[in-house]
Amino acid sequence: MKKRTSNWIKIGVPVLIVVVIAAVVGGVLGSRAHSNSDASTSGAAAPNSPTGEAAASSAAALKNEIGVYPTATNSLYLLPVYPSTTNTAAFTQPTFHPSDNSSLAWPADPFQPSSPVITTVRPDRPRLIAPSYKWAVLPGLIAADPYLTLWNNTIFGNATEYYSLPPVVYFMDGPSGILDNAREIKMRLKAFSYVYRMTNDTKWVDRAWSEIQNAIGTNFGPNNDTKWNPGHFLDVGEFCAGFAIAYDWLYDQWTDDQKTTIRSSIIQYGLSQGIIAFANSNGQYWGWWAAASTTGNWNCVCNNGLTMASLAIMGDDTSGIVEQTLNLTLPSALAGCANAVTSDGSWSETHAYWHFGTTGHAEMSASMQTATGSDYGMLDSNQNFGLNGVFHMYGDGPGTFFMWGDHGPNRFSTTANGMFLYGDHYNHPEYILHQRDQHDAPEPWSMFWYDPTVSGAFWDNLPLDHFFDDPLTQWASMRSSWTDQNALYVAMKAGKLTGHQTHNDLDLGDFVIDALGTRWAGDLGSADYRSTGYFSSDDQDSLRWLYYRKRSEGQNTILVNEANQLVVAAPTVNHNTSGTVQGSSTVFTPPSDSTAFWTTDISSGYNDTPTFQRGVRMINGRTQILIQDDITSSGAMMWRMHTNASVAVDPSGTSATLTIGSSTLTMQILNPTSDMQMSIGDARRFADDPALPAGETDQDNPGVTVVMINMAAGTKSLQVLFNPQWPGMAASAFQTPPSVPVASWTLESHNSS
Ligand SMILES: *[C@@H]1O[C@H](CO)[C@@H](O)[C@H](O)[C@H]1NC(C)=O
Ligand SMILES: *[C@@H]1O[C@H](CO)[C@@H](O)[C@H](O)[C@H]1NC(C)=O
Ligand SMILES: *[C@@H]1O[C@H](CO)[C@@H](O)[C@H](O)[C@H]1NC(C)=O
Ligand SMILES: *[C@@H]1O[C@H](CO)[C@@H](O)[C@H](O)[C@H]1NC(C)=O
Ligand SMILES: *[C@@H]1O[C@H](CO)[C@@H](O)[C@H](O)[C@H]1NC(C)=O
Ligand SMILES: *[C@@H]1O[C@H](CO)[C@@H](O)[C@H](O)[C@H]1NC(C)=O
Ligand SMILES: *[C@@H]1O[C@H](CO)[C@@H](O)[C@H](O)[C@H]1NC(C)=O
Ligand SMILES: *[C@@H]1O[C@H](CO)[C@@H](O)[C@H](O)[C@H]1NC(C)=O
């Protein structure tokens, strides 16, 4: 069978060619005041500025005057662009403001059962996510809050765009099934349902109905119970969630016949298939996702869809399947989904899959809470779950997120807006403040999860660095600023190579570097999910590890004898930080002694390599980066880094100049031994790599160059210094740090002498 475009092409290229959507964020609110144009180069708070409650109160009062903080969304990375400005009155520490004007806050839910049970739903509709008491006050909150105003407008715009499109066309995408179909339909049904409720215009109900009829029609999938593709159960989960919202939010508008049709579709194509899946959750057939060991997005998305659909039709369907389903989904999600967050807050799959997992988790938690009065432990049974927003925020660099492992399929209805629910529930206002500026914030869930009493700036007093220490997910994040799109950012990982739902790579020591508004060292992301054996296992001999993008040679790390790293690896880590926090201003220059380092012992990931310590650190007030490898090996060694830059290696073979657009970064080997030789090559498998499965090929990596440093066997200290060529920084201002063994690194060990 002929292969279609790879996932990488489908996902990667559109990101590269997105048109500028600047002004979308800023433009809608024409009344942005100029009170925030008081640009300053100091990160310090102005003298006599209010603190605590007084500051929060004044920040809340300024809300409409200031409007939305970012002025635009970066067209390449879709990250917010902040103005260079100090506004000590508004950019205060993140806080909720409970004594705020009550017209700016959600009222308490009148449905407060004293002993909630999942089979007893609230008396009124909607039940799911947005009960009627919230719709009643929403127009007032929209008028009072610039973010809600922006999002409401954007959702109307999006719904208007979808309105004139034909219903989603059925497309079976191999092993990815009809997941894109399901998520696009869910996205549309949410938007149509929202706009109907905000306008009472039944044209939106009619349009939702045509989308529903399409998704159960004779031209959509096979005409039997497998129409929603239960063999790839995520698809069923997302269809169920979309149908549940349409059924519930448009309940008063549906005729009895329409309700019967939606219910019977949910039961035939959704819940009945769920019962079959649970009966096979021991790994056979297609119910593997229901097992307690599936601590990842599949468990979240599938259980959520079945749960939302059950809650939506509860009472109207009396067959018992609703109760039977909820009896299965809730324990499964508490065991699997809720445990996908490790002790340090990391999502155990990857950064990309955090989005899919938390969308399902947040929808399920919120739906049970609103429909029945409790989340039954989804939010709190894993006491670390609330830290997942820290994981998400620190994974975002100014050149997109730390994209280790698979970067996942198209998003559609999947967003980072669980941050609103989590920020509120776990008392992390910075999660909300961070997410409200993001490009994917405008969608119906945000309208109900956002707490408009939040005030401040997420970056105020936020540490520049964070280290994640769970043995499964050790990684580090360090930066020079939270608000400067040109900031320096480096993230590096170790962690176990198994236990990530087969979404990881053999990538101990892998890193990304952002500076000057672009990514200089990056990851290649997913290979083709349809390739033979791609998800077969994470054992050492898995077919997955034959594909270049999953092999160690496809990562930014060191190879010994060109071999893959060992899946039994158990790295250890060490780190320290000056603890620098950004101040209120978006303009921030770290002090010259501001630094951080992270080191890892990854020798257990290698044969023939008794010692291997890799370290990364910020140098010279976070303007330069040093990556050092202290390694002893009896095999030949090769340092590798993947970059989109064009690379010119100096004839000496010890330094290189990297260029992206008009920006330049130089990298240099410090104290090189004579065998250390820098060169460049293509991002593709070695000629003598083990063969790919029959008929398979690696994806091309267009535009990507590998910078290599070859070293002979022996004991080496390879020190690579990265110097982004900052505008206005004199050559003499760059420092050459001293040579210090990784094991002896301290905060002060690399101070200029
Ligand atoms: C609450 O709203 C009233 C009327 O809009 C306004 O006068 C008052 O200052 C507000 N209080 C706070 C704390 O913002
Ligand atoms: C929501 O946005 C639409 C479209 O811009 C607008 O017509 C409507 O008045 C807004 N709703 C509120 C409550 O402001
Ligand atoms: C919604 O509309 C905004 C503004 O036009 C656009 O940037 C965004 O991509 C749309 N989102 C979706 C999911 O269609
Ligand atoms: C829509 O109808 C409901 C119920 O009759 C009413 O409470 C609400 O104000 C109406 N909304 C609009 C925008 O007309
Ligand atoms: C459903 O129909 C499809 C397409 O005709 C067929 O391949 C599949 O085996 C059928 N499934 C069942 C359970 O009958
Ligand atoms: C739900 O589970 C409980 C406890 O296992 C059991 O007693 C009850 O019969 C189940 N209900 C349904 C509808 O399956
Ligand atoms: C190349 O650029 C794309 C788009 O920004 C990015 O996703 C990718 O990670 C970059 N690749 C490398 C190797 O830096
Ligand atoms: C971090 O560095 C500081 C300053 O040198 C030192 O006092 C502290 O003990 C270090 N922390 C750790 C955990 O090593």
Side-chain angles (χ1 to χ4, degrees), residues 222-226:
N223 283 311
N224 58 31
D225 295 345
T226 66

Side-chain angles (χ1 to χ4, degrees), residues 427-709:
N427 193 23
H428 276 278
E430 75 278 17
Y431 294 179
I432 298 174
L433 294 166
H434 182 266
Q435 177 58 22
R436 72 180 188 175
D437 291 339
Q438 305 297 321
H439 75 97
D440 61 353
E443 59 115 3
W445 294 173
S446 307
M447 303 304 294
F448 302 97
W449 289 346
Y450 178 67
D451 180 346
T453 73
V454 74
S455 69
F458 77 85
W459 60 83
D460 189 24
N461 213 32
L462 187 63
L464 298 179
D465 313 309
H466 197 93
F467 305 110
F468 299 81
D469 286 349
D470 190 283
L472 184 60
T473 47
Q474 298 147 330
W475 67 287
S477 168
M478 316 173 207
R479 71 186 68 217
S480 63
S481 166
W482 281 102
T483 47
D484 178 1
Q485 53 174 336
N486 296 318
L488 185 61
Y489 172 78
V490 61
M492 185 180 277
K493 74 176 291 290
K496 294 212 163 97
L497 294 176
T498 61
H500 306 276
Q501 303 295 322
T502 326
H503 278 307
N504 65 301
D505 303 336
L506 297 179
D507 60 358
L508 301 171
D510 184 49
F511 63 91
V512 297
I513 294 176
D514 297 338
L516 301 165
T518 191
R519 178 148 289 188
W520 294 94
D523 286 307
L524 301 174
S526 309
D528 189 338
Y529 282 12
R530 295 162 294 185
S531 304
T532 308
Y534 190 77
F535 291 122
S536 54
S537 80
D538 50 18
D539 298 341
Q540 193 70 45
D541 61 358
S542 170
L543 298 181
R544 179 178 179 85
W545 310 135
L546 292 173
Y547 297 100
Y548 180 79
R549 293 184 180 180
K550 308 291 106 186
R551 294 176 71 73
S552 297
E553 68 206 48
Q555 320 304 322
N556 300 329
T557 188
I558 285 190
L559 302 179
V560 170
N561 290 326
E562 298 187 355
N564 269 337
Q565 292 171 340
L566 305 178
V567 300
V568 295
T572 56
V573 297
N574 185 33
H575 45 74
N576 206 346
T577 168
S578 56
T580 312
V581 300
Q582 185 161 343
S584 157
S585 179
T586 61
V587 182
F588 176 69
T589 304
S592 60
D593 63 350
S594 175
T595 187
F597 70 84
W598 182 85
T599 70
T600 179
D601 185 326
I602 52 175
S603 53
S604 56
Y606 291 82
N607 284 320
D608 316 312
T609 306
T611 67
F612 184 0
Q613 295 206 301
R614 166 163 275 206
V616 58
R617 68 182 299 142
M618 290 284 191
I619 300 282
N620 195 10
R622 300 178 189 258
T623 57
Q624 300 168 256
I625 290 169
L626 175 69
I627 294 180
Q628 178 167 328
D629 296 294
D630 292 351
I631 179 168
T632 299
S633 182
S634 58
M637 294 170 269
M638 184 197 288
W639 185 102
R640 290 171 73 83
M641 181 187 105
H642 293 71
T643 182
N644 289 327
S646 42
V647 184
V649 178
D650 182 87
S652 69
T654 60
S655 67
T657 301
L658 282 63
T659 308
I660 296 180
S662 57
S663 297
T664 303
L665 174 146
T666 62
M667 44 188 286
Q668 181 191 355
I669 307 177
L670 302 177
N671 312 304
T673 53
S674 59
D675 60 317
M676 290 179 182
Q677 185 65 41
M678 192 185 285
S679 62
I680 56 173
D682 293 333
R684 69 162 59 126
R685 63 192 2 255
F686 301 123
D688 52 357
D689 275 350
L692 287 169
E696 298 295 356
T697 53
D698 282 316
Q699 287 65 55
D700 288 338
N701 297 303
V704 179
T705 297
V706 184
V707 182
M708 295 173 280
I709 302 170

